[in-house]
Amino acid sequence: MVDRALVEVFREMNGGMFPPMTETFERGKTIFFPGDPAERFYFLVKGAVKLSRVYEAGEEITVALLRENSVFGVLSLITGNRSDRFYHAVAFTPVELLSVPIDQVEKALKEDPELPMVLLRGLSSRILQTEMMIETLAHRDMGSRLVSFLLILCRDFGTPSTDGVTIDLKLSHQAIAEAIGSTRVTVTRLLGDLRKQKMIAISKKRITVHNPIELGQQFA
């Protein structure tokens, strides 16, 4: 559920004189590329956004899957320097965003003493998930990486069901592989192993983890 108070803060920024732009992106569409000018600040209203880092060899590693009520595109605000984009931001699902020019956010931060804490609240889950993704990629064993990633998704996108926790995202094997630095073939095999062990179920690309605690303990 979107935090309505945070949404309203964005809508009323700068006294409502410059309302944020509402933008929508279809699944798979790029919001910004690495190297793009950092001109706008984003608040995720609906859907999920993938942030990834692209390296010179062409390898792309996912650093976060942002859920509703997250903010991103904030690096220049944090550093105090107007810099180019560091990440590749892609709509992982159909998304709806609010976007505000960076200079308007900077102005609002000076005028509203409560705004920095509001933005920190929106940024906190992003920071935590990025740390968890780094821990996930630190595992050399791909099975452990996959399990760690599934547990992150249960935490951020999971909804309770009669069979456990269902991840409310349609996940292709290729998308999972890209997120954990693996291959589609390996992910397909590992998911198959988890299904045989009755740890997960998959229906229409949605994964249900029957018992996240047990899964985490068995594959820690």
Side-chain angles (χ1 to χ4, degrees):
M1 183 68 65
V2 174
D3 185 336
R4 293 297 176 187
L6 189 51
V7 170
E8 291 309 313
V9 166
F10 273 76
R11 296 192 192 281
E12 296 169 6
M13 194 174 290
N14 292 312
M17 295 179 61
F18 304 100
M21 179 187 303
T22 298
E23 300 184 55
T24 58
F25 292 84
E26 297 178 2
R27 176 185 173 93
K29 295 297 184 181
T30 290
I31 299 166
F32 55 75
F33 288 99
D36 283 354
E39 297 175 342
R40 302 190 73 83
F41 179 93
Y42 296 93
F43 175 77
L44 180 55
V45 179
K46 294 180 182 178
V49 169
K50 181 179 77 170
L51 295 184
S52 58
R53 184 81 175 100
V54 182
Y55 295 91
E56 290 184 1
E59 184 181 18
E60 186 167 357
I61 298 295
T62 298
V63 297
L65 272 181
L66 306 182
R67 59 181 174 179
E68 296 175 359
N69 205 35
S70 296
V71 294
F72 62 104
V74 301
L75 187 60
S76 61
L77 285 176
I78 295 173
T79 63
N81 298 315
R82 187 60 61 85
S83 57
D84 292 338
R85 298 296 186 194
F86 188 69
Y87 296 117
H88 184 200
V90 175
F92 196 72
T93 67
V95 301
E96 178 183 334
L97 306 172
L98 296 179
S99 71
V100 184
I102 287 288
D103 56 356
Q104 290 182 22
V105 180
E106 291 173 340
K107 181 174 182 291
L109 285 170
K110 296 175 182 177
E111 297 175 350
D112 185 348
E114 295 182 359
L115 186 56
M117 185 56 66
V118 171
L119 296 185
L120 181 60
R121 191 173 75 220
L123 186 59
S124 60
S125 67
R126 148 77 191 285
I127 295 172
L128 176 59
Q129 200 199 68
T130 297
E131 290 178 348
M132 294 173 71
M133 285 298 301
I134 292 171
E135 291 178 3
T136 294
L137 295 173
H139 292 294
R140 293 188 177 183
D141 174 70
M142 283 300 169
S144 297
R145 282 193 189 186
L146 175 61
V147 167
S148 181
F149 183 59
L150 292 178
L151 293 176
I152 291 174
L153 295 180
C154 283
R155 183 188 76 98
D156 288 345
F157 299 96
T159 56
S161 66
T162 56
D163 296 326
V165 178
T166 298
I167 298 168
D168 192 21
L169 292 172
K170 289 186 176 180
L171 294 162
S172 69
H173 293 187
Q174 181 62 38
I176 296 173
E178 291 172 0
I180 66 173
S182 184
T183 65
R184 183 186 59 78
V185 172
T186 298
V187 166
T188 298
R189 176 177 57 80
L190 292 172
L191 288 174
D193 290 343
L194 292 177
R195 293 177 75 173
K196 289 177 183 177
Q197 296 169 44
K198 301 189 184 303
M199 290 288 176
I200 67 170
I202 303 176
S203 177
K204 298 179 180 178
K205 292 188 177 181
R206 281 189 166 84
I207 298 173
T208 296
V209 177
H210 295 310
N211 189 328
I213 295 176
E214 181 183 349
L215 182 64
Q217 291 174 341
Q218 182 165 343
F219 291 90

